[in-house]
Amino acid sequence: MGLMTLLEGFLLLANALAILNEDRFLAPRGWSLSEFSVGRTKSVKGQIIGLIYATQYLRVPLIVLKIH
């Protein structure tokens, strides 16, 4: 497994997280950012929700990286 294959895998994972729709997928399962209070963001679930929302801000750089 080469470095390029590993980077491509991370790119695909980031893309999968970036395209998740909050209204259709995250909110019905209780994974909405608005449902979490400040103190609960230290949990594993809070960290994953933070990761999902952070990757959604990276949509434009992800598009640029996918055009290689």
Side-chain angles (χ1 to χ4, degrees):
M1 173 154 73
L3 179 63
M4 204 55 193
T5 305
L6 187 63
L7 290 175
E8 188 174 342
F10 283 129
L11 179 65
L12 290 173
L13 179 66
N15 187 47
L17 292 175
I19 63 170
L20 289 176
N21 188 329
E22 181 179 0
D23 296 331
R24 299 179 92 192
F25 181 76
L26 298 174
R29 289 161 179 81
W31 286 65
S32 175
L33 190 63
S34 62
E35 294 179 12
F36 265 77
S37 62
V38 176
R40 294 180 56 194
T41 58
K42 299 278 188 207
S43 67
V44 174
K45 185 177 178 181
Q47 293 291 322
I48 293 172
I49 291 173
L51 177 67
I52 290 171
Y53 280 93
T55 56
Q56 288 181 351
Y57 285 109
L58 295 174
R59 285 184 180 166
V60 174
L62 283 172
I63 291 170
V64 172
L65 287 173
K66 286 188 284 185
I67 304 176
H68 66 282

